[in-house]
Coordinates of all heavy atoms in Angstrom, one line a residue:
Chain A
S141 N 4.4 -25.2 17.6 CA 5.2 -24.1 17.3 C 6.0 -24.2 15.8 O 6.2 -23.3 15.2 CB 6.4 -23.8 18.2 OG 7.0 -24.9 18.6
S142 N 6.2 -25.5 15.5 CA 6.7 -26.0 14.2 C 5.9 -25.4 13.1 O 6.3 -24.7 12.2 CB 6.9 -27.4 14.2 OG 7.3 -27.8 12.9
V143 N 4.5 -25.6 13.2 CA 3.7 -25.2 12.2 C 3.5 -23.7 12.1 O 3.4 -23.1 11.1 CB 2.3 -26.0 12.2 CG1 1.4 -25.5 13.4 CG2 1.5 -25.8 10.9
I144 N 3.6 -23.1 13.3 CA 3.4 -21.6 13.3 C 4.7 -20.9 12.7 O 4.6 -20.0 11.9 CB 3.2 -21.1 14.7 CG1 1.8 -21.5 15.2 CG2 3.4 -19.6 14.8 CD1 1.5 -21.1 16.7
F145 N 5.9 -21.4 13.1 CA 7.1 -20.9 12.6 C 7.2 -21.1 11.0 O 7.7 -20.2 10.3 CB 8.4 -21.5 13.3 CG 8.6 -21.0 14.6 CD1 9.2 -21.9 15.6 CD2 8.2 -19.7 15.0 CE1 9.5 -21.4 16.8 CE2 8.4 -19.3 16.3 CZ 9.0 -20.1 17.1
L146 N 6.7 -22.2 10.6 CA 6.7 -22.6 9.1 C 5.9 -21.6 8.5 O 6.2 -21.4 7.2 CB 6.4 -24.0 9.0 CG 7.0 -24.8 7.9 CD1 8.5 -24.8 8.0 CD2 6.5 -26.3 7.9
S147 N 4.9 -21.1 9.1 CA 3.9 -20.2 8.3 C 4.4 -18.8 8.4 O 3.7 -17.9 7.9 CB 2.6 -20.5 8.8 OG 2.2 -21.7 8.9
S148 N 5.3 -18.4 9.3 CA 5.7 -17.1 9.4 C 6.7 -16.7 8.3 O 7.7 -17.2 8.3 CB 6.3 -16.8 10.8 OG 5.8 -17.6 11.8
P149 N 6.3 -15.5 7.6 CA 7.3 -15.1 6.6 C 8.6 -14.5 7.4 O 8.3 -14.0 8.5 CB 6.6 -14.0 5.9 CG 5.5 -13.7 6.6 CD 5.2 -14.8 7.6
E150 N 9.8 -14.7 6.9 CA 10.9 -14.3 7.7 C 11.0 -12.8 8.0 O 11.6 -12.4 9.0 CB 12.2 -14.7 6.9 CG 12.4 -14.2 5.5 CD 12.2 -15.4 4.5 OE1 11.2 -16.1 4.6 OE2 13.0 -15.5 3.6
F151 N 10.4 -12.0 7.1 CA 10.4 -10.5 7.4 C 9.6 -10.3 8.7 O 9.9 -9.2 9.4 CB 10.0 -9.6 6.2 CG 9.0 -10.2 5.4 CD1 7.6 -9.9 5.7 CD2 9.1 -11.0 4.4 CE1 6.6 -10.2 5.0 CE2 8.0 -11.5 3.6 CZ 6.7 -11.1 3.9
F152 N 8.4 -11.0 8.9 CA 7.7 -10.8 10.0 C 8.5 -11.3 11.3 O 8.5 -10.6 12.3 CB 6.4 -11.6 9.8 CG 5.4 -11.4 10.8 CD1 4.9 -10.0 11.2 CD2 4.8 -12.4 11.6 CE1 4.0 -9.8 12.2 CE2 3.9 -12.1 12.6 CZ 3.4 -10.7 12.9
V153 N 9.0 -12.5 11.1 CA 9.9 -12.8 12.3 C 11.0 -11.9 12.6 O 11.2 -11.6 13.7 CB 10.6 -14.2 11.9 CG1 11.4 -14.7 13.2 CG2 9.5 -15.3 11.6
A154 N 11.6 -11.4 11.5 CA 12.7 -10.3 11.7 C 12.1 -9.1 12.5 O 12.8 -8.7 13.5 CB 13.1 -9.8 10.3
M155 N 10.9 -8.7 12.2 CA 10.3 -7.5 13.0 C 10.1 -8.0 14.5 O 10.5 -7.0 15.2 CB 8.9 -7.3 12.2 CG 8.3 -5.9 12.5 SD 6.7 -6.0 11.8 CE 5.8 -6.8 13.2
V156 N 9.6 -9.1 14.6 CA 9.4 -9.4 16.1 C 10.7 -9.5 16.8 O 10.8 -8.9 17.9 CB 8.6 -10.8 16.1 CG1 8.6 -11.3 17.6 CG2 7.3 -10.8 15.5
F157 N 11.7 -10.0 16.2 CA 13.1 -10.1 17.0 C 13.7 -8.7 17.0 O 14.3 -8.4 18.1 CB 14.0 -11.1 15.9 CG 13.8 -12.5 16.3 CD1 14.6 -13.3 15.5 CD2 12.9 -12.8 17.2 CE1 14.4 -14.7 15.7 CE2 12.7 -14.2 17.4 CZ 13.4 -15.1 16.7
M158 N 13.5 -7.9 16.0 CA 13.9 -6.5 16.2 C 13.2 -5.8 17.4 O 13.9 -5.1 18.1 CB 13.5 -5.7 15.0 CG 14.5 -5.9 13.8 SD 13.7 -5.0 12.4 CE 15.3 -4.5 11.6
L159 N 11.9 -6.1 17.5 CA 11.2 -5.5 18.6 C 11.7 -6.0 19.9 O 12.0 -5.3 20.8 CB 9.7 -5.8 18.4 CG 8.7 -4.8 18.0 CD1 7.4 -5.4 17.9 CD2 8.8 -3.5 18.8
I160 N 11.9 -7.3 20.1 CA 12.3 -8.0 21.3 C 13.7 -7.6 21.6 O 14.1 -6.9 22.6 CB 12.1 -9.4 21.3 CG1 10.6 -9.8 21.1 CG2 12.6 -10.0 22.6 CD1 10.4 -11.2 20.8
G161 N 14.7 -7.9 20.6 CA 16.1 -7.8 20.9 C 16.6 -6.4 20.8 O 17.4 -6.0 21.7
G162 N 16.0 -5.6 19.9 CA 16.6 -4.3 19.8 C 16.0 -3.3 20.5 O 16.6 -2.3 21.1
V163 N 14.7 -3.2 20.4 CA 13.8 -2.2 21.0 C 13.6 -2.4 22.5 O 13.9 -1.5 23.4 CB 12.6 -1.9 20.3 CG1 11.9 -0.8 20.9 CG2 12.9 -1.7 18.8
Y164 N 12.8 -3.5 22.9 CA 12.5 -3.8 24.3 C 13.7 -4.0 25.2 O 14.0 -3.5 26.2 CB 11.5 -4.9 24.4 CG 10.2 -4.4 24.0 CD1 9.3 -5.3 23.2 CD2 9.7 -3.1 24.1 CE1 8.2 -4.9 22.7 CE2 8.6 -2.7 23.7 CZ 7.8 -3.5 22.9 OH 6.6 -3.1 22.3
L165 N 14.6 -5.0 24.8 CA 15.7 -5.3 25.5 C 17.0 -4.4 25.3 O 17.7 -4.1 26.2 CB 16.2 -6.8 25.3 CG 15.2 -7.9 25.6 CD1 15.6 -9.2 25.2 CD2 14.9 -7.9 27.1
G166 N 17.0 -3.9 24.1 CA 18.0 -2.9 23.8 C 19.4 -3.4 23.8 O 20.3 -2.6 24.1
V167 N 19.6 -4.7 23.7 CA 21.0 -5.2 23.9 C 21.6 -5.5 22.5 O 22.8 -5.6 22.5 CB 21.0 -6.5 24.6 CG1 20.8 -6.2 26.2 CG2 19.9 -7.4 24.2
L168 N 20.9 -5.7 21.4 CA 21.6 -6.0 20.1 C 21.2 -5.0 19.1 O 20.1 -4.4 19.1 CB 21.0 -7.4 19.7 CG 21.4 -8.5 20.6 CD1 20.6 -9.8 20.3 CD2 22.9 -9.0 20.4
P169 N 22.2 -4.7 18.3 CA 22.0 -3.7 17.2 C 21.0 -4.3 16.2 O 21.1 -5.6 15.9 CB 23.3 -3.6 16.6 CG 24.1 -4.8 17.0 CD 23.6 -5.3 18.3
I170 N 20.1 -3.5 15.6 CA 19.1 -4.1 14.6 C 19.5 -3.8 13.2 O 18.8 -4.2 12.4 CB 17.7 -3.6 15.0 CG1 17.6 -2.0 15.0 CG2 17.2 -4.2 16.3 CD1 16.3 -1.6 15.1
A171 N 20.5 -3.0 13.0 CA 20.8 -2.7 11.6 C 22.3 -2.4 11.4 O 23.0 -1.9 12.4 CB 20.1 -1.7 11.0
G172 N 22.8 -2.8 10.3 CA 24.2 -2.3 10.0 C 25.1 -3.6 10.1 O 24.8 -4.7 10.4
A173 N 26.4 -3.4 9.8 CA 27.4 -4.4 10.0 C 28.5 -4.0 10.9 O 28.8 -2.8 11.0 CB 27.9 -4.8 8.6
G174 N 29.2 -4.9 11.5 CA 30.3 -4.5 12.4 C 30.8 -5.8 13.0 O 31.0 -6.7 12.2
G175 N 30.8 -6.0 14.3 CA 31.2 -7.2 15.0 C 30.3 -8.3 14.9 O 29.2 -8.2 14.1
I176 N 30.5 -9.3 15.5 CA 29.7 -10.5 15.5 C 28.2 -10.3 15.9 O 27.3 -10.9 15.5 CB 30.3 -11.7 16.3 CG1 29.6 -13.1 16.0 CG2 30.3 -11.4 17.7 CD1 30.1 -13.8 14.8
K177 N 28.1 -9.3 16.8 CA 26.7 -9.1 17.4 C 25.8 -8.6 16.5 O 24.6 -8.7 16.6 CB 26.8 -8.2 18.7 CG 27.3 -6.8 18.4 CD 27.3 -6.1 19.7 CE 27.5 -4.6 19.5 NZ 28.4 -3.8 20.3
Y178 N 26.3 -8.0 15.4 CA 25.3 -7.5 14.3 C 24.7 -8.7 13.5 O 23.8 -8.6 12.8 CB 26.1 -6.6 13.3 CG 26.4 -5.4 13.9 CD1 27.5 -5.0 14.6 CD2 25.4 -4.3 13.6 CE1 27.7 -3.7 15.0 CE2 25.6 -3.0 14.1 CZ 26.8 -2.8 14.7 OH 27.1 -1.4 15.3
F179 N 25.4 -10.0 13.6 CA 24.9 -11.0 13.0 C 23.8 -11.8 13.8 O 23.2 -12.8 13.2 CB 26.0 -12.0 12.7 CG 26.9 -11.5 11.5 CD1 28.0 -10.7 11.7 CD2 26.4 -11.6 10.2 CE1 28.7 -10.4 10.7 CE2 27.1 -11.2 9.1 CZ 28.3 -10.5 9.3
I180 N 23.8 -11.6 15.1 CA 22.9 -12.6 16.0 C 21.5 -12.6 15.6 O 20.8 -13.6 15.3 CB 23.2 -12.1 17.5 CG1 24.6 -12.4 17.8 CG2 22.3 -13.0 18.4 CD1 25.0 -12.1 19.1
L181 N 20.8 -11.3 15.5 CA 19.4 -11.3 15.3 C 19.1 -11.8 13.8 O 18.2 -12.6 13.6 CB 18.9 -9.8 15.4 CG 18.7 -9.4 16.9 CD1 18.1 -7.9 16.9 CD2 17.8 -10.3 17.6
P182 N 19.9 -11.3 12.8 CA 19.6 -11.9 11.5 C 19.7 -13.3 11.3 O 18.8 -14.0 10.8 CB 20.6 -11.1 10.5 CG 21.1 -10.0 11.4 CD 20.9 -10.3 12.8
S183 N 20.8 -13.9 12.1 CA 20.9 -15.4 11.8 C 19.8 -16.2 12.6 O 19.4 -17.3 12.2 CB 22.4 -15.9 12.2 OG 22.8 -15.1 13.2
L184 N 19.4 -15.5 13.8 CA 18.3 -16.2 14.6 C 17.1 -16.2 13.7 O 16.4 -17.2 13.6 CB 18.1 -15.4 15.9 CG 18.9 -15.9 17.1 CD1 18.5 -15.0 18.3 CD2 18.5 -17.4 17.4
T185 N 16.7 -15.0 13.1 CA 15.6 -14.8 12.2 C 15.7 -15.9 11.2 O 14.7 -16.7 10.8 CB 15.6 -13.5 11.5 OG1 15.8 -12.5 12.5 CG2 14.3 -13.3 10.8
L186 N 16.8 -16.1 10.5 CA 16.9 -17.0 9.4 C 16.8 -18.5 9.9 O 16.5 -19.3 9.1 CB 18.4 -16.8 8.7 CG 18.5 -17.1 7.3 CD1 17.5 -16.7 6.5 CD2 19.9 -16.5 6.8
S187 N 17.2 -18.9 11.1 CA 17.2 -20.2 11.4 C 15.8 -20.6 11.9 O 15.5 -21.8 12.0 CB 18.1 -20.4 12.7 OG 17.8 -19.5 13.8
V188 N 14.8 -19.7 12.2 CA 13.5 -20.1 12.7 C 12.8 -21.1 11.8 O 12.4 -22.2 12.3 CB 12.7 -18.8 12.9 CG1 11.2 -19.2 12.9 CG2 13.1 -18.1 14.1
G189 N 12.8 -20.9 10.5 CA 12.1 -21.8 9.6 C 12.8 -23.1 9.5 O 12.2 -24.1 9.5

Side-chain angles (χ1 to χ4, degrees):
Chain A
S141 49
S142 171
V143 70
I144 289 175
F145 283 151
L146 212 55
S147 312
S148 330
E150 58 251 49
F151 42 89
F152 188 54
V153 179
M155 192 188 85
V156 175
F157 279 178
M158 276 174 152
L159 259 183
I160 298 171
V163 180
Y164 289 141
L165 299 176
V167 283
L168 290 165
I170 54 170
I176 190 85
K177 65 176 189 227
Y178 284 88
F179 284 97
I180 294 176
L181 284 181
S183 37
L184 270 178
T185 311
L186 203 46
S187 58
V188 162

